[in-house]
Amino acid sequence: MKRVFISDLHIGDGSAKDDFFFDSELSDFLEDLLDEKEVELFIVGDGFEILESRVVKELGLVSFDEVLRSLDETVINEIEKKHEKIFETLKKFAKKHTIYYVVGNHDYHILKNENLQKALKERFDRFEILPYYYDEKTKLLVLHGNQFDVINRFSLDRKSKKIIPPLGDFIARYMMVNFDENVINFAPEDVIRDYDNVRPLLDVFHWFEHVTEIYDIGVDLVELWLKSFLDMLRTNEAKRWMRNNFPRTHWLSKLFVNRLGGLEMGRILVRTVYTFRKLRRLDYLQKWAKIVLKGSQKWKKFMVGYEDLDKVDRVDILVMGHVHHFTYKIVPTPAGKKLYVNCGSWRPVLEKIGMKKKHGFHKKAELPKITMDFSNGKVEVKASITNMIGKI
């Protein structure tokens, strides 16, 4: 049995946030698998872009629960219309083989919304929608990984015990409604599409300055973005999230987001947060992978919003996504060597050329594909990376 893993495709509806440009590459890859005797496809979260879709944007800043209730097949119809070739190939694949669709933080809606589930299962014959996947025989665990990202995981209200949605979800919707809508009036759509993809995150300020010069935009994008972000932090949703997740230190945010602090203090806050996330992004999923593979069960407390994990016991192979960075790592444990793989992302990344702003930025995507062959009682792992590079 072969198992193929891909993650973080973010296949969108053709609106400003849809930055999936690799329809032919993905279709060709899946076509090559059609004639395999035994093969399963795992999409390890954020396969279809629901969060940053036109439909969700037009719902506005309603509650997360109302977004879940309101969604219907429209968003899937619009994604299919934009990416017909991929849908046709997935349909052919699902007639012969099983697709396991593990939800992430940009498509969690699919797990909880029957309209979205029906729309997908009507299109694809063998299509399982899962919060995670666990195989007791091979001790394989597949989950997206956002559960270990404080900004993008669910949490429980300390008093009511009700589920609090990720702040990352609200940030994305708030910025679409407030920042994106302003920028689209005087800047190309690429600006809206690309600012989420700048790496490292701190370079987004230099990228805003770069595109301002290129397109001769008469607006300070850095200040506009900071103002929108700080206004978001002042909302009741953000304050509630801060109080619940950081009960002892949430008051510190007032030093940065009150009117006396202004944008300069806000800039310090954002840079501090981004620096922290940059450092964590390099290794925080590897850290949690080691915890899971070494047998500790404390990671399960972060699985709020997902089905019960009682059946998940020993894990020998862990596959995740979320951080948009391909990783293959052998983890030594008292029980022997184990494996952690991160599937990376098909979403483009923007980086400085030569690490200097004056040289501009270039766009690249790796298109990682992981294959595990479980034949003959052993696991053979192959990774394929297709680098797509272009200057902007």
Side-chain angles (χ1 to χ4, degrees):
M1 168 65 74
K2 286 185 179 179
R3 289 167 169 161
V4 177
F5 304 87
I6 53 178
S7 181
D8 293 86
L9 306 173
H10 293 274
I11 301 171
D13 58 5
S15 59
K17 288 293 191 180
D18 182 9
D19 52 8
F20 187 85
F21 308 115
F22 308 110
D23 300 58
S24 295
E25 287 81 1
L26 180 57
S27 295
D28 291 346
F29 172 68
L30 295 176
E31 289 276 359
D32 290 341
L33 297 174
L34 286 177
D35 293 330
E36 294 273 358
K37 287 186 178 180
E38 289 185 306
V39 63
E40 297 172 337
L41 175 65
F42 289 78
I43 299 176
V44 191
D46 292 354
F48 297 120
E49 182 57 69
I50 307 298
L51 172 57
E52 295 184 314
S53 64
R54 179 197 64 81
V55 172
V56 170
K57 179 181 177 181
E58 291 187 357
L59 286 172
L61 297 177
V62 298
S63 70
F64 180 78
D65 288 339
E66 187 169 343
V67 172
L68 286 183
R69 289 193 299 268
S70 301
L71 291 173
D72 59 22
E73 70 277 2
T74 302
V75 63
I76 302 299
N77 293 342
E78 293 185 355
I79 293 173
E80 180 177 23
K81 184 177 180 181
K82 177 61 180 177
H83 300 280
E84 292 181 1
K85 186 173 183 177
I86 290 176
F87 272 71
E88 287 303 314
T89 307
L90 286 172
K91 288 174 185 177
K92 287 193 289 184
F93 186 94
K95 289 184 182 298
K96 292 185 174 183
H97 311 290
T98 301
I99 300 173
Y100 293 101
Y101 190 98
V102 177
V103 298
N105 52 302
H106 279 242
D107 55 3
Y108 180 84
H109 319 73
I110 296 173
L111 184 66
K112 298 297 183 179
N113 184 288
E114 293 183 0
N115 295 321
L116 300 181
Q117 294 178 21
K118 181 180 178 183
L120 290 169
K121 290 185 175 182
E122 284 179 347
R123 288 166 167 82
F124 311 127
D125 291 347
R126 304 178 188 180
F127 192 82
E128 295 194 26
I129 299 165
L130 304 167
Y132 63 92
Y133 174 91
Y134 181 66
D135 181 10
E136 293 187 44
K137 182 178 179 181
T138 60
K139 305 302 179 184
L140 166 69
L141 175 63
V142 183
L143 70 161
H144 184 56
N146 62 292
Q147 297 88 347
F148 306 121
D149 179 351
V150 65
I151 297 292
N152 286 301
R153 68 178 177 226
F154 291 87
S155 56
L156 286 177
D157 187 282
R158 293 173 180 269
K159 294 182 179 179
S160 68
K161 301 304 179 184
K162 292 182 179 179
I163 293 179
I164 298 177
L167 181 63
D169 178 275
F170 182 73
I171 291 174
R173 292 192 289 127
Y174 188 93
M175 298 302 279
M176 280 197 299
V177 170
N178 291 279
F179 178 74
D180 295 6
E181 275 301 291
N182 282 327
V183 172
I184 204 168
N185 292 321
F186 49 78
E189 203 171 70
D190 285 354
V191 175
I192 297 171
R193 180 181 295 121
D194 288 339
Y195 74 83
D196 281 339
N197 298 327
V198 176
R199 296 293 183 273
L201 292 170
L202 273 175
D203 284 348
V204 71
F205 297 111
H206 288 160
W207 185 79
F208 279 139
E209 294 168 359
H210 178 69
V211 296
T212 298
E213 295 173 3
I214 288 179
Y215 297 116
D216 194 23
I217 299 172
V219 175
D220 190 331
L221 290 178
V222 173
E223 297 305 311
L224 181 60
W225 186 91
L226 278 170
K227 182 180 184 305
S228 299
F229 189 84
L230 294 175
D231 286 345
M232 179 278 302
L233 289 177
R234 295 187 184 103
T235 63
N236 290 331
E237 288 83 354
K239 290 177 181 177
R240 178 192 177 202
W241 184 91
M242 287 289 295
R243 284 195 302 269
N244 191 73
N245 285 275
F246 300 97
R248 296 180 180 178
T249 58
H250 73 90
W251 58 271
L252 288 171
S253 63
K254 296 179 182 179
L255 297 177
F256 298 96
V257 301
N258 64 19
R259 292 181 181 178
L260 294 176
L263 288 176
E264 188 54 40
M265 291 294 282
R267 188 192 293 264
I268 295 172
L269 170 67
V270 173
R271 287 188 181 276
T272 302
V273 171
Y274 270 26
T275 300
F276 176 68
R277 286 180 61 79
K278 174 189 173 184
L279 293 173
R280 292 183 70 245
R281 189 166 292 274
L282 295 176
D283 64 359
Y284 77 97
L285 279 193
Q286 287 191 38
K287 167 194 159 186
W288 281 104
K290 291 177 182 178
I291 290 172
V292 174
L293 292 170
K294 288 183 178 180
S296 171
Q297 300 296 303
K298 70 179 183 179
W299 62 274
K300 291 183 179 180
K301 70 180 181 181
F302 297 120
M303 297 294 287
V304 176
Y306 299 84
E307 268 65 33
D308 188 68
L309 284 92
D310 287 344
K311 292 182 179 180
V312 181
D313 187 15
R314 195 182 88 198
V315 178
D316 291 342
I317 303 171
L318 177 60
V319 179
M320 292 193 282
H322 186 57
V323 292
H324 294 195
H325 180 70
F326 168 74
T327 304
Y328 176 93
K329 190 172 184 64
I330 301 296
V331 178
T333 75
K337 294 179 180 178
K338 300 189 177 185
L339 175 64
Y340 164 57
V341 176
N342 194 292
C343 299
S345 174
W346 286 49
R347 198 169 194 172
V349 170
L350 283 88
E351 295 179 333
K352 287 179 184 175
I353 299 173
M355 303 302 292
K356 294 184 178 180
K357 182 181 67 172
K358 67 179 182 179
H359 297 311
F361 286 72
H362 70 156
K363 184 182 294 186
K364 70 174 185 178
E366 293 184 329
L367 317 190
K369 302 168 283 288
I370 315 300
T371 302
M372 296 187 187
D373 191 338
F374 288 82
S375 305
N376 304 318
K378 296 183 178 180
V379 183
E380 180 182 354
V381 183
K382 295 181 179 179
S384 172
I385 304 292
T386 305
N387 285 299
M388 311 289 285
I389 302 176
K391 183 177 179 180
I392 63 165

